Amino acid sequence: MMSDNNVKRVLECIINTSNNNITVTDEKGFILFTNPNHWWIYGIEPEHYLGKSVYQLETEGILSPSISAMVLKEKTPIQIMQQTKTGKIVMSTAYPIFDDDGELIRVVSYAQDQTEIRNLQDQYGQLEKKIQEYQSEVEELREQEELIYRSKEMRQIAKTIHRVSKTDATVMLLGESGVGKSVFARRLHNQSYRSKEPFIEVNCSTIPESLFESEMFGYEAGSFTGAQKQGKQGLIEQADNGTLFLDEIGELPLDMQVKLLNVLQEKTFKRVGGKKEHKIDFRLVTATNQNLEDMVEKGTFRLDLYYRLNVIPIQIPPLRERKEDIAILINHNLEIINKKYKSDKKLHPSTYEILIQHKWSGNVRELENLIERLILTSEDSIIFPGFLPSHFHGQESLEKIDDTLMIDNMMVDDSDLNTALEQVEKWMMMKASKQCKSTYEMAKFLGISQPSVVRKMKKYKDHLPIK
């Protein structure tokens, strides 16, 4: 058995060598043992707390609150966070010690400075918030890259799509054929919480009216002659938990409009030839190039369905009304289709200008199809205006060719391919330099890398405006 003095020495050694602030008080709250090296977190010297009770230190605001005082009152283990005068955050834990008769005789408490950990947590929280902001920016940039636009109108539409994608609100995409309504519908789905579920696209103009109901709602086995023996799941059922995109909604037959309205209201449907009600949950997106309000007045489209669909209408402008998007679309499609067919064809400046000035009645789809056609059918590496379809050679288009087609006071000599290539390259660099604010923008505009832009700027430095 150790003597009382030896027990006291062992206790003092344990307390003084601990990494935590350990304090032992008697049943009245007076401090008996503590390690003085750790009281700096409370901002006081040893002579200030020796011989004092925790109640005094609490009154003076040094212990705020005193966990030992709380344990003396509650007679149970307690853990709290303390704020010291020095601005430190301290986690304190205290335990009561009872004698053989169950009387509280001591309280031992442990205090650990959590300030650095708390600061790290705050920094981590701020870093996490920044990462979320950067992820949001990257997502918007990725969306812009995939959709390919530069105009303010399209940028605003993309932001609207991003906002409403987080809800289940019904969206109606309006615009001429070929403006990219289906691309926006898929983007809406991909940014929603339903993104991992099916995206079912239905072109209402391509399904025969006689087959519309069975295609949309499916049918039970043996419902009609020619039906599959096991029955068939309809398009609406396939979209369960996902997104149903009804393109050309204006072509929906009147009797189907009634049934679609019922599905939207009741969230249930029946297969053809079936009696069982099936519950359904999908997000509806529609698109049309028709004026549904005119159709409502003529009685070819139901007013109640129109109001159900026209919750968030988004008008996508035709390509001719956003000319700043034409150039970037031309360059993007040249790059994509050249890569697809492993070619390296370029547009002659005259060809490029004609395409810029074209009205594009078929919008983005027409532009994409034309670029692919030109790359596949032209034999030369430079696509001259002569390769364009005849309707591109109207007098109005030719008159709009920019004066910058004159390079060094001469037109490109078509008979000398090397000269033509160099002059085209020079002209394109001049064009990019005028329209873009940085070499990175020029690289995107031209469809080449930024180091390539820098090298070519050095090559043609005498012909380019100083950046």
Side-chain angles (χ1 to χ4, degrees), residues 454-467:
V454 174
R455 286 195 298 271
K456 293 181 188 300
M457 287 187 74
K458 291 179 180 178
K459 180 179 179 180
Y460 300 115
K461 61 183 179 179
D462 294 335
H463 301 277
L464 301 178
I466 299 174
K467 286 282 182 182

Side-chain angles (χ1 to χ4, degrees), residues 255-271:
D255 59 333
M256 285 302 302
Q257 293 179 28
V258 176
K259 293 182 178 182
L260 176 62
L261 180 62
N262 186 64
V263 171
L264 297 177
Q265 290 173 338
E266 305 299 330
K267 303 295 184 184
T268 61
F269 75 97
K270 290 180 183 178
R271 287 183 176 182

Side-chain angles (χ1 to χ4, degrees), residues 188-216:
L188 191 66
H189 171 75
N190 290 341
Q191 292 183 346
S192 74
Y193 70 91
R194 298 176 183 267
S195 60
K196 297 189 183 301
E197 301 296 336
F199 175 83
I200 304 299
E201 181 173 352
V202 182
N203 191 316
C204 298
S205 66
T206 62
I207 303 176
E209 189 170 343
S210 59
L211 299 177
F212 217 105
E213 186 174 4
S214 61
E215 287 294 316
M216 291 297 291

Side-chain angles (χ1 to χ4, degrees), residues 79-130:
Q79 185 177 71
I80 62 169
M81 299 298 290
Q82 294 174 313
Q83 177 85 40
T84 71
K85 280 185 172 182
T86 58
K88 299 292 184 181
I89 303 295
V90 179
M91 183 175 71
S92 295
T93 308
Y95 302 89
I97 300 175
F98 302 94
D99 63 14
D100 293 339
D101 297 325
E103 294 294 324
L104 192 152
I105 56 173
R106 298 286 186 271
V107 173
V108 58
S109 65
Y110 306 88
Q112 186 178 47
D113 184 7
Q114 297 283 301
T115 309
E116 186 175 349
I117 295 175
R118 181 63 63 86
N119 289 339
L120 288 173
Q121 288 175 336
D122 291 342
Q123 290 174 18
Y124 177 77
Q126 293 173 2
L127 180 61
E128 203 170 38
K129 185 179 178 182
K130 278 288 184 186

Side-chain angles (χ1 to χ4, degrees), residues 1-11 33:
M1 287 265 321
M2 287 191 296
S3 65
D4 289 343
N5 286 335
N6 286 337
V7 171
K8 182 179 179 181
R9 288 192 186 95
V10 171
L11 180 60
F33 302 101

